[in-house]
Amino acid sequence: MATMPGISDALDPANAARSTLKLENTEKRDTLIKIEKRYQKQWQDSKIFNATAPSTTEFAPGSIAPSELRKKHPKYFGTFAFPYMNGTLHAGHSFTASKVEYTAGFARMQGKRVLFPLGFHCTGMPIKACADKLTEDVRRFGQNFETYAEEEVDEEAGLPAPTQAETKEDITKFTSKKSKATAKGVKLKYQFQIMLALGIPREEIHKFADANFWLKYFPPLCKRDLNNFGARIDWRRTFLTTDANPYYDTFVRWQMNRLKDLDKIQYGSRYTIYSPKDGQPCMDHDRTEGEGVAPQEYTALKLKVKEWAPDAAKILQGKLPDSATVYFVPATLRPETMYGQTCCFVGPKVTYGIFQASQSEYYVVTKRAAWNMAFQGIFFKNDSFPRDASELAPIVELTGAAVVGTLVDAPLSVHKEGVRILPMDSVSPTKGTGVVTSVPSDSPDDYATVIDLAKKAEYYGIKKEWAELDIVPILETPSYGNLAAPFLVKKMKINSPKDTKQLAEAKDLAYKEGYYKGTIIVGDFKGEAVEVAKPKVKAQLIKAGNAFEYAEPNGHVVSRSADECVVAYLGQWFLNYGENDPAWRDQVLDYVKNDMETFSSETKNGFEKNLEWLNRWACARTYGLGSKLPWEPKFLVESLSDSTIYMSYYTIAHLLHSDTFGSQPGLLDIKPEQLIDEVWDYIFCRREISDELLKDSGISESDLQTMRREFEYWYPLDMRISGKDLIPNHLTFFLYIHTALFPRELWPSGVRANGHLMLNGEKMSKSTGNFLTLNDAVTKYGADATRIALADAGDGVEDANFEETVANQIILRMYTLKEWCEDVSADPSLRTSPTSKNLWDSLFENEMHTLVHQAYAHYAATDYKVALKSALYDFTSARDFYREALAAASMPMHRDLVTAYISLQALIISPIAPHWADYIWQEVLHKPTTIQNALWPVVPQPDAGFTAAYTYIRTTSSAITSAEGHQIRKKSKGKATQYDPEQPKRLTIYTASAFPSWQQKYIDLVRDFHAKASLEDKSLNAEVGRMGEGKKALPFVQGLKKRIQTGENAEDVFERKLAFKETDVLGQMLRGLRKTLPKCKGVEVVEVVGEEEGKKTGRVV
């Protein structure tokens, strides 16, 4: 059997990571992983991450307010979006999870009770669609697909047709240095091939034809990977969604019932993205392509044919009944401008169909548009939608070129005798109906085209007068007059329809000006603002039978079942988000703006923008996995609607069941059928206990109180962490439903959104081999190196970058640091006398205190990249400075400081690298218990004098070594040098007793800004620049600012007093400097005390 190049590679699970870094010597990594496994087992055996609220025995129900209980026993409750169980976790999942991880670790060190739970999402279409595909694969090829023969692959098959707005480059091309077959990528046609590529053994794959098998297979792998990552998860509280877990099922049904009671769920007909193949709405998480795409609503005009062009008449002869009325149907977003129609455009090369809409009416549109209309009551009734495009056949097909010259009646147009169908090369068959009505008074595209057509009438095969109908004013605008399009085309010097960039800009300007500031100056609504008149004109057209509503997806959408989606108008249950419930929307918007922590302005702006446009959301479907809609069980609750408040379920899950499926009872031995809606109302603070509740549920009062205690203690959720791509749907829904069902004090405290994760500076992609699962990363680098590299990857909403070279370097860094800690702890030569401490000891101790405080502030702000810098890179740099300074002075380090360093290093890096930290804590420092229970170290505030001296020493040393390096480089290039760096030398350091006079005016400037508390104001730098000595003045001013910001007394800075004695510090540096500079025979410090006849005078100190 011949193998198609690329197919066998695509089926190899290892192929997804073929372009990632290859490791060779792994001895150090293996040593660290062995340590990690030991501590992971210790944590799991001790159940150290199991978190529990203060019991009702400790604090009787009603004896203390929940808010007071949380003050008395501080807590942290953090979550990230539970992963979907159609595969294993990849590095992107772990990036988001790591943010909860670091914060959970830091919260433990703050003395808080910490809850980090995780469940598994199984609701929706993806699992069911894949299972159904496998059923078909097994039917066709046998249980183990033994009859499958590899096929020729059409590499361009299946590529989506681009829309006009989407086309930016040739999507069939790929730029890469990989082989041609690899670069193009091979699209796996069958589901069993995809399973093989995931690493599922061939003989196991047939089991996945049962959707429930997915629910059993992937959650344990997810748990395995996160345990290997060292996640601080309370696994007692895990669960999976759908009615496979009967406890969670009752929770979802309660939620839907209560939302319906509150009129937040309603029934009605509306436009929605729809999969004809699946026969149901296709929401965001049901899509393989097109997440975030929504219906775009148009007004479809009916332009009645008055006279066919000769070519069209020949084609249609005998194919339409004499009684047929045929309409060209353009779709417009601007019905208010239809008074100005002068022609109608078609694409000359576009194929159109004539479709029968009723007994006597026929529409000319593209087949794609007709297929959309088929689900909007145009060609089929709303209760009998087609499932296949073959059910919608055109009466006849013809090209746009054939209909050019056809005379049509344009509703509302001032040209009552009719307008002509004319050619327009830029008409897209994948957007709208493929028919475009022309209003050159207000559309720059249309104006440029009709001018071009009139100039080149013969070339286009039309009569010139067809393109020269009068262009009449329709809208009056303050900026562009009453003929906006001609005005903008002339102003922007647009010469032809090919000036697409300028035309796009002009179109945007004309539309905004017309809609927001324009006034109608013709027709029945003359004098009214466009915003007011637009819906009136649309309604008038529809009422007169001259138009109808039409909608289509505003982008390309493909369902999980590989079906290209349309827009359908159908009756459905929906959550009434958006403008139809303005009080609800404004409540959420107010909370986002004024109370909720978003950790970045980008996240807050994302929520605000989304809340302004988000509208009703279909919350039920008929196909997939999920919980049944309580009042209409033929429907299932949609996947983004059963996952909005599941964080509240975490708080009591362990009390209800002890396994993922809810097949084993939990701590309270409650059965699913006891969880009636009223029980959930009580748990979630919506009602109080009554005799009726106790009787109807059969749950004891004490058990009910225990569940409520857990909820009231852990809620509100302190931090929700998700990718920024979930702001438009899940995260906004999460806020909507919390505000609807819970009292305000229990609404989420914070939402932190992060960017996507790139790998080695490029988008993660299996097809290019640049892909890592979480298991891959931890196996390859170990848990701590992976965690550190994830922290180093970035923190904002911009896309972050996991750099494998960083992870690899971290292995060496952490192994070397471990070895050093072990060796130095046993070093008998360390100083021990309390009275032997010197300047270097004090500087090191002070710098450690500085970095401990810095790391705390960064962790608290969830800025993990800079927290890592303070807690690891800068901390080891401070140790290196101390070690080198004492080595240069031929003096051993002090044992107390070395021990303090090791202890502090383990503590402040433990949120990010807990395995390494716990090893150092228990096996090097011999602490009796795990570092997971240790508190953040309490250290004194940094001493400003020592901080200034430390900075001075490092700056001065750097300046001297840089100067030496500069001379060496000049000599190596054959250039003249101030001295020969290869010859013996002496170093003289001059220190001034007074500052240069030019500096005084800048000190006065900084003093003024400091008095106004505006040192951070950008205008300070601008003022420095205006004073004319920016090159030397700006660094001086920055130095003053830094001294004040690091704690020096401001008046001492302004009086130009150093926080240390400069000559004393330089004296301490002499021996080290002499050792640092090659062939340095001596160092002297000269204090400049005056200047006579241009020469400095001073004394050697």
Side-chain angles (χ1 to χ4, degrees):
M1 181 169 62
T3 302
M4 173 71 185
I7 287 282
S8 58
D9 286 342
L11 297 180
D12 180 1
N15 193 50
R18 67 183 180 277
S19 300
T20 60
L21 187 68
K22 303 298 184 289
L23 302 188
E24 294 178 359
N25 298 321
T26 62
E27 182 182 350
K28 294 179 175 62
R29 178 204 68 183
D30 296 342
T31 299
L32 294 176
I33 289 179
K34 188 175 180 180
I35 290 170
E36 290 168 356
K37 296 303 178 189
R38 186 159 74 245
Y39 281 91
Q40 287 166 7
K41 185 175 187 305
Q42 183 188 110
W43 300 337
Q44 290 159 25
D45 289 348
S46 65
K47 297 178 171 45
I48 195 168
F49 303 131
N50 290 359
T52 306
S55 70
T56 54
T57 303
E58 295 174 80
F59 298 91
S63 66
I64 185 172
S67 58
E68 289 302 312
L69 183 60
R70 293 191 289 269
K71 285 181 183 177
K72 197 174 187 69
H73 294 281
K75 60 88 182 178
Y76 167 80
F77 177 20
T79 65
F80 74 101
F82 50 16
Y84 197 79
M85 289 296 100
N86 61 345
T88 55
L89 303 183
H90 56 68
H93 289 114
S94 55
F95 179 60
T96 302
S98 71
K99 306 303 183 186
V100 189
E101 254 299 292
Y102 307 147
T103 311
F106 179 61
R108 292 180 72 92
M109 299 191 78
Q110 294 174 295
K112 298 177 181 178
R113 300 191 189 200
V114 172
L115 176 57
F116 175 15
L118 187 68
F120 306 112
H121 199 199
C122 306
T123 306
M125 282 182 58
I127 290 174
K128 177 63 173 166
C130 291
D132 288 352
K133 289 177 187 177
L134 279 175
T135 300
E136 177 61 17
D137 289 353
V138 169
R139 185 191 68 76
R140 290 182 64 181
F141 305 123
Q143 180 169 298
N144 293 322
F145 316 103
E146 55 273 7
T147 65
Y148 171 73
E150 295 212 11
E151 307 166 6
E152 289 291 318
V153 178
D154 179 1
E155 290 171 344
E156 295 190 11
L159 290 171
T163 66
Q164 204 166 26
E166 293 170 333
T167 305
K168 294 183 180 179
E169 58 187 24
D170 185 356
I171 59 174
T172 67
K173 295 180 180 177
F174 181 84
T175 304
S176 174
K177 295 181 181 178
K178 305 292 183 290
S179 70
K180 190 173 181 180
T182 300
K184 286 186 176 180
V186 177
K187 188 173 182 179
L188 300 178
K189 183 176 181 180
Y190 298 106
Q191 185 64 38
F192 84 88
Q193 295 174 318
I194 296 172
M195 306 304 283
L196 283 170
L198 286 174
I200 310 297
R202 182 180 288 264
E203 61 275 11
E204 292 282 310
I205 292 176
H206 70 92
K207 298 177 182 177
F208 289 86
D210 176 5
N212 289 318
F213 188 74
W214 296 67
L215 281 54
K216 299 172 184 175
Y217 187 86
F218 285 111
L221 296 182
C222 176
K223 183 176 179 181
R224 174 205 68 187
D225 293 348
L226 285 164
N227 282 339
N228 290 341
F229 185 63
R232 301 173 174 93
I233 294 175
D234 181 352
W235 288 113
R236 298 174 305 156
R237 299 170 186 262
T238 192
F239 61 90
L240 52 77
T241 63
T242 77
D243 54 8
N245 184 318
Y247 291 93
Y248 187 77
D249 187 55
T250 69
F251 166 73
V252 171
R253 287 189 282 111
W254 161 78
Q255 173 187 336
M256 303 307 285
N257 278 330
R258 290 299 175 257
L259 289 169
K260 185 170 181 287
D261 293 343
L262 293 167
D263 206 29
K264 304 302 182 187
I265 293 178
Q266 298 177 358
Y267 186 85
S269 294
R270 59 187 293 272
Y271 290 113
T272 190
I273 305 294
Y274 184 88
S275 166
K277 180 178 178 181
D278 300 326
Q280 66 173 10
C282 184
M283 309 314 288
D284 271 4
H285 281 194
D286 302 329
R287 305 172 188 175
T288 57
E289 187 179 341
E291 186 169 345
V293 171
Q296 173 66 64
E297 297 183 30
Y298 295 91
T299 301
L301 284 174
K302 296 166 66 175
L303 277 61
K304 183 179 177 181
V305 173
K306 300 177 74 172
E307 176 189 317
W308 284 105
D311 288 350
K314 289 178 185 177
I315 295 170
L316 297 176
Q317 191 172 5
K319 294 181 180 177
L320 293 174
D322 294 339
S323 61
T325 304
V326 183
Y327 298 91
F328 281 77
V329 183
T332 181
L333 294 170
R334 306 190 66 185
E336 74 281 4
T337 66
M338 292 303 100
Y339 301 100
Q341 294 175 86
T342 64
C343 63
C344 180
F345 296 126
V346 294
K349 297 178 183 178
V350 174
T351 298
Y352 296 88
I354 299 180
F355 298 88
Q356 186 171 7
S358 66
Q359 188 170 355
S360 60
E361 286 195 0
Y362 297 79
Y363 297 161
V364 180
V365 292
T366 60
K367 190 162 187 177
R368 173 188 168 277
W371 185 235
N372 266 277
M373 290 178 182
F375 299 90
Q376 298 168 31
I378 306 300
F379 304 119
F380 293 83
K381 293 181 179 179
N382 281 341
D383 58 355
S384 57
F385 287 158
R387 298 298 283 265
D388 188 89
S390 62
E391 298 177 54
L392 179 66
I395 302 301
V396 65
E397 288 186 315
L398 65 176
T399 64
V403 300
V404 168
T406 297
L407 183 68
V408 295
D409 181 45
L412 295 185
S413 173
V414 296
H415 298 290
K416 303 301 181 185
E417 69 282 2
V419 302
R420 296 286 176 173
I421 303 294
L422 298 180
M424 187 181 202
D425 290 331
S426 61
V427 168
S428 170
T430 61
K431 191 172 185 180
T433 62
V435 181
V436 180
T437 191
S438 172
V439 183
S441 60
D442 291 273
S443 169
D445 288 280
D446 295 352
Y447 181 74
T449 300
V450 295
I451 295 298
D452 189 59
L453 287 170
K455 284 181 182 177
K456 305 174 184 176
E458 186 176 349
Y459 171 79
Y460 287 111
I462 65 170
K463 294 182 179 179
K464 186 178 181 181
E465 59 266 25
W466 292 351
E468 290 187 325
L469 296 187
D470 290 343
I471 299 173
V472 298
I474 303 300
L475 310 178
E476 183 70 46
T477 66
S479 301
Y480 312 133
N482 59 20
L483 290 171
F487 178 91
L488 286 166
V489 167
K490 290 170 187 173
K491 180 182 178 182
M492 299 175 73
K493 299 179 180 178
I494 296 170
N495 297 314
S496 84
K498 294 180 179 179
D499 295 335
T500 53
K501 185 177 179 181
Q502 300 100 305
L503 280 170
E505 184 181 350
K507 178 181 178 180
D508 187 58
L509 291 171
Y511 182 82
K512 288 180 178 177
E513 177 81 6
Y515 183 74
Y516 292 109
K517 300 178 181 178
T519 302
I520 296 276
I521 57 176
V522 296
D524 293 345
F525 307 104
K526 181 179 179 179
E528 294 191 15
V530 168
E531 278 187 277
V532 176
K534 181 174 183 171
K536 294 181 180 179
V537 176
K538 178 179 178 179
Q540 186 183 60
L541 283 164
I542 293 172
K543 185 177 181 181
N546 292 323
F548 56 90
E549 292 183 325
Y550 166 68
E552 65 182 28
N554 62 8
H556 192 251
V557 182
V558 179
S559 74
R560 298 278 180 179
S561 59
D563 186 33
E564 185 169 347
C565 294
V566 297
V567 166
Y569 187 74
L570 72 168
Q572 59 188 251
W573 293 101
F574 57 83
L575 279 154
N576 198 30
Y577 300 137
E579 61 185 11
N580 295 290
D581 191 338
W584 193 15
R585 178 197 61 198
D586 293 346
Q587 177 179 251
V588 178
L589 194 56
D590 175 72
Y591 188 67
V592 169
K593 286 182 175 179
N594 300 311
D595 295 306
M596 190 177 78
E597 175 61 68
T598 57
F599 300 91
S600 74
S601 58
E602 294 92 340
T603 299
K604 176 173 282 191
N605 292 339
F607 274 118
E608 291 177 7
K609 186 176 179 181
N610 192 53
L611 284 162
E612 288 170 2
W613 71 261
L614 180 69
N615 214 322
R616 293 168 168 172
W617 186 267
C619 61
R621 60 158 59 81
T622 57
Y623 175 81
L625 303 180
S627 296
K628 292 180 173 61
L629 205 60
W631 57 90
E632 198 165 354
K634 71 177 182 180
F635 290 111
L636 299 171
V637 180
E638 180 264 337
S639 63
L640 281 168
S641 301
D642 83 335
S643 56
T644 53
I645 58 167
Y646 66 86
M647 312 83 203
S648 61
Y649 187 83
Y650 283 135
T651 64
I652 46 84
H654 63 304
L655 302 176
L656 300 178
H657 51 86
S658 58
D659 69 321
T660 306
F661 282 87
S663 59
Q664 300 295 325
L667 297 176
L668 298 183
D669 197 24
I670 293 172
K671 296 178 177 58
E673 55 269 23
Q674 293 178 278
L675 292 170
I676 58 177
D677 286 352
E678 290 73 19
V679 168
W680 291 111
D681 286 338
Y682 172 75
I683 294 171
F684 297 138
C685 307
R686 294 173 57 83
R687 62 163 293 159
E688 296 304 322
I689 288 179
S690 66
D691 291 340
E692 184 181 13
L693 174 60
L694 296 173
K695 178 184 177 183
D696 291 346
S697 69
I699 301 174
S700 70
E701 183 173 4
S702 63
D703 285 352
L704 288 169
Q705 291 170 337
T706 296
M707 289 190 285
R708 181 146 168 179
R709 167 58 56 80
E710 284 280 335
F711 171 70
E712 283 188 322
Y713 177 71
W714 291 115
Y715 249 59
L717 181 66
D718 294 287
M719 187 187 294
R720 176 67 170 175
I721 298 180
S722 290
K724 63 184 179 183
D725 55 309
L726 294 184
I727 291 175
N729 43 61
H730 162 70
L731 289 174
T732 301
F733 301 169
F734 154 82
L735 295 179
Y736 259 116
I737 305 304
H738 270 86
T739 62
L741 294 180
F742 298 130
R744 191 179 183 95
E745 61 271 17
L746 298 178
W747 296 354
S749 300
V751 173
R752 189 185 191 282
N754 53 255
H756 300 126
L757 185 69
M758 295 190 295
L759 180 60
N760 303 322
E762 296 181 1
K763 182 180 178 181
M764 278 206 294
S765 168
K766 290 181 180 179
S767 65
T768 61
N770 191 51
F771 188 84
L772 282 179
T773 65
L774 175 55
N775 185 54
D776 291 337
V778 172
T779 301
K780 192 171 186 178
Y781 300 109
D784 280 343
T786 299
R787 293 167 67 108
I788 291 171
L790 287 168
D792 189 71
D795 287 312
V797 296
E798 301 83 13
D799 289 349
N801 181 38
F802 182 93
E803 193 64 58
E804 287 191 278
T805 54
V806 171
N808 195 29
Q809 290 162 5
I810 288 296
I811 293 172
L812 178 60
R813 176 185 282 271
M814 302 312 287
Y815 181 86
T816 304
L817 187 55
K818 175 189 80 74
E819 295 273 286
W820 184 86
C821 292
E822 292 168 343
D823 293 344
V824 78
S825 296
D827 187 351
S829 69
L830 298 180
R831 286 180 291 129
T832 57
S833 171
T835 60
S836 68
K837 288 189 176 180
N838 55 39
L839 174 65
W840 305 111
D841 296 330
S842 298
L843 291 177
F844 179 45
E845 184 175 46
N846 186 73
E847 183 64 8
M848 287 195 291
H849 296 165
T850 299
L851 292 170
V852 168
H853 285 290
Q854 283 182 8
Y856 185 96
H858 296 321
Y859 278 124
T862 72
D863 292 331
Y864 307 111
K865 186 177 176 73
V866 285
L868 175 67
K869 181 177 183 295
S870 297
L872 180 61
Y873 300 130
D874 291 349
F875 213 69
T876 52
S877 178
R879 178 211 61 177
D880 294 343
F881 171 81
Y882 175 59
R883 183 172 56 174
E884 291 161 9
L886 289 178
S890 301
M891 185 181 297
M893 296 181 289
H894 200 288
R895 179 170 295 281
D896 290 351
L897 291 179
V898 168
T899 303
Y901 166 79
I902 295 172
S903 175
L904 291 172
Q905 177 64 94
L907 287 165
I908 65 176
I909 198 60
S910 65
I912 295 174
H915 309 85
W916 185 93
D918 216 355
Y919 171 81
I920 297 297
W921 190 251
Q922 294 193 56
E923 299 188 41
V924 176
L925 297 173
H926 306 293
K927 300 292 185 181
T929 59
T930 174
I931 202 169
Q932 297 280 10
N933 288 332
L935 297 178
W936 188 266
V938 177
V939 298
Q941 287 294 325
D943 180 277
F946 285 133
T947 299
Y950 181 83
T951 303
Y952 176 84
I953 291 169
R954 301 200 73 161
T955 303
T956 303
S957 299
S958 176
I960 292 169
T961 54
S962 295
E964 173 82 354
H966 181 61
Q967 297 302 311
I968 292 171
R969 287 191 297 274
K970 286 180 72 175
K971 183 171 183 179
S972 69
K973 295 176 181 179
K975 296 181 179 179
T977 61
Q978 293 176 313
Y979 64 91
D980 188 343
E982 295 179 0
Q983 296 298 316
K985 63 182 77 71
R986 294 182 63 83
L987 172 66
T988 301
I989 301 173
Y990 294 94
T991 174
S993 58
F995 288 90
S997 57
W998 66 266
Q999 294 178 352
Q1000 186 59 52
K1001 59 185 175 183
Y1002 294 102
I1003 290 173
D1004 294 339
L1005 177 66
V1006 175
R1007 191 198 300 268
D1008 290 344
F1009 271 81
H1010 180 260
K1012 300 172 188 174
S1014 58
L1015 273 184
E1016 297 303 318
D1017 196 325
K1018 291 180 180 178
S1019 60
L1020 172 59
N1021 289 351
E1023 186 62 31
V1024 172
R1026 279 194 290 270
M1027 292 169 73
E1029 297 167 302
K1031 191 170 182 180
K1032 64 179 179 180
L1034 195 56
F1036 175 69
V1037 168
Q1038 295 299 331
L1040 295 176
K1041 284 173 58 177
K1042 186 172 182 180
R1043 289 177 62 189
I1044 295 169
Q1045 289 164 346
T1046 54
E1048 287 191 53
N1049 181 279
E1051 284 307 311
D1052 286 347
V1053 173
F1054 297 140
E1055 293 299 324
R1056 295 199 272 187
K1057 296 177 182 176
L1058 289 178
F1060 57 92
K1061 190 169 183 182
E1062 187 176 12
T1063 53
D1064 288 352
V1065 170
L1066 286 169
Q1068 293 285 330
M1069 293 173 63
L1070 294 184
R1071 183 179 294 181
L1073 289 172
R1074 191 162 63 189
K1075 285 193 174 185
T1076 300
L1077 289 175
K1079 298 185 179 182
C1080 183
K1081 299 301 183 181
V1083 182
E1084 67 178 7
V1085 177
V1086 175
E1087 183 176 23
V1088 178
V1089 295
E1091 190 170 330
E1092 298 177 5
E1093 298 179 358
K1095 296 182 179 179
K1096 294 182 173 66
T1097 60
R1099 60 188 180 88
V1100 177
V1101 295

